[in-house]
Amino acid sequence: AQSVTQPDIHITVSEGASLELRCNYSYGATPYLFWYVQSPGQGLQLLLKYFSGDTLVQGIKGFEAEFKRSQSSFNLRKPSVHWSDAAEYFCVVGNNAGNMLTFGGGTRLMVKP
Amino acid sequence: EAGVAQSPRYKIIEKRQSVAFWCNPISGHATLYWYQQILGQGPKLLIQFQNNGVVDDSQLPKDRFSAERLKGVDSTLKIQPAKLEDSAVYLCASSPGIINTDTQYFGPGTRLTVL
């Protein structure tokens, strides 16, 4: 069975600082990996996704993620955080037999002015 | 392009009552999903439809939950009878097809409180 672990429940960073959100997955084959963001009062929005190819994936809003098979990780990064990035971030693994997504528990990002 | 629509946005009921949620996916999207998101957790897939057929309902508590997607467009999710532990946000999502590279688009959700 596929699973996702996000070790950090809460993270606080200062505006303008760099950000890295950690994600570890468990899946028997090559996974399909996603990062979604959930802002207060808004629906879940896809930031980026990885299926194959280049292991460094660029997404919207200046985010990127790197797939590391040896570490079973798919960490999300942003070089300079903006106050509007405060939200809940979910790492997601999808199976390659269909479109079934398994979400991690989420990391809540707070941004200090 | 209109997004995924859900109603109602909020619902408060007593335990043992029944409740229904409605979802209208993005026009033309073949696949529709219902997720349950308990406070402090990530969403959990309940059921997946392709057109009007069920693809996966392995995590749907079938003794009290039911869902249908008549005519392959709108969908309703029903809980009867509700339990306290059903308090959660119910999210609907849709995608153009069932290909695993398709992006799922999520609605705003229905927040259910069971008292």
Side-chain angles (χ1 to χ4, degrees):
Chain A
Q2 59 203 55
S3 66
V4 181
T5 301
Q6 294 179 248
D8 304 304
I9 297 175
H10 294 100
I11 282 185
T12 300
V13 300
S14 297
E15 190 168 17
S18 63
L19 171 70
E20 182 169 27
L21 302 183
R22 296 184 292 163
C23 170
N24 293 98
Y25 68 88
S26 174
Y27 186 63
T30 300
Y32 295 90
L33 295 163
F34 310 78
W35 276 97
Y36 277 83
V37 60
Q38 188 173 40
S39 300
Q42 298 186 24
L44 282 155
Q45 181 183 25
L46 179 68
L47 285 176
L48 48 79
K49 56 187 176 183
Y50 170 78
F51 299 128
S52 64
D54 192 345
T55 57
L56 185 62
V57 181
Q58 301 298 319
I60 63 172
K61 304 184 180 184
F63 285 92
E64 66 177 26
E66 186 171 13
F67 171 62
K68 293 185 177 180
R69 184 188 300 275
S70 61
Q71 299 177 19
S72 296
S73 70
F74 189 57
N75 295 349
L76 182 71
R77 300 193 294 250
K78 186 170 185 178
S80 178
V81 170
H82 187 262
W83 64 265
S84 60
D85 293 325
E88 185 100 24
Y89 291 80
F90 292 97
C91 182
V92 184
V93 62
N95 65 8
N96 54 19
N99 215 4
M100 183 177 178
L101 300 185
T102 299
F103 283 72
T107 297
R108 180 164 296 279
L109 172 66
M110 290 174 281
V111 181
K112 293 190 300 185
Chain B
E1 178 181 79
V4 176
Q6 291 187 247
S7 66
R9 293 294 310 275
Y10 304 91
K11 190 73 176 179
I12 300 174
I13 61 172
E14 301 276 337
K15 61 182 179 182
R16 290 188 289 274
Q17 286 185 324
S18 61
V19 64
F21 313 126
W22 173 82
C23 172
N24 185 21
I26 292 173
S27 178
H29 280 196
T31 308
L32 184 147
Y33 312 80
W34 283 102
Y35 290 84
Q36 179 193 57
Q37 185 176 18
I38 294 173
L39 186 64
Q41 300 181 19
K44 182 185 80 172
L45 178 69
L46 293 176
I47 189 167
Q48 177 183 348
F49 293 93
Q50 186 180 17
N51 297 313
N52 59 353
V54 175
V55 175
D56 188 303
D57 64 355
S58 57
Q59 299 192 91
L60 186 73
K62 298 180 186 65
D63 58 334
R64 298 182 301 105
F65 285 66
S66 65
E68 61 182 8
R69 191 183 183 197
L70 299 176
K71 302 180 182 178
V73 182
D74 294 5
S75 177
T76 55
L77 177 69
K78 297 179 181 177
I79 307 175
Q80 182 179 9
K83 293 185 175 181
L84 296 177
E85 59 261 36
D86 298 332
S87 293
V89 176
Y90 291 84
L91 298 166
C92 180
S94 69
S95 65
I98 198 171
I99 300 171
N100 46 26
T101 55
D102 282 347
T103 297
Q104 293 187 24
Y105 297 86
F106 286 80
T110 296
R111 182 176 298 277
L112 173 67
T113 302
V114 182
L115 302 175

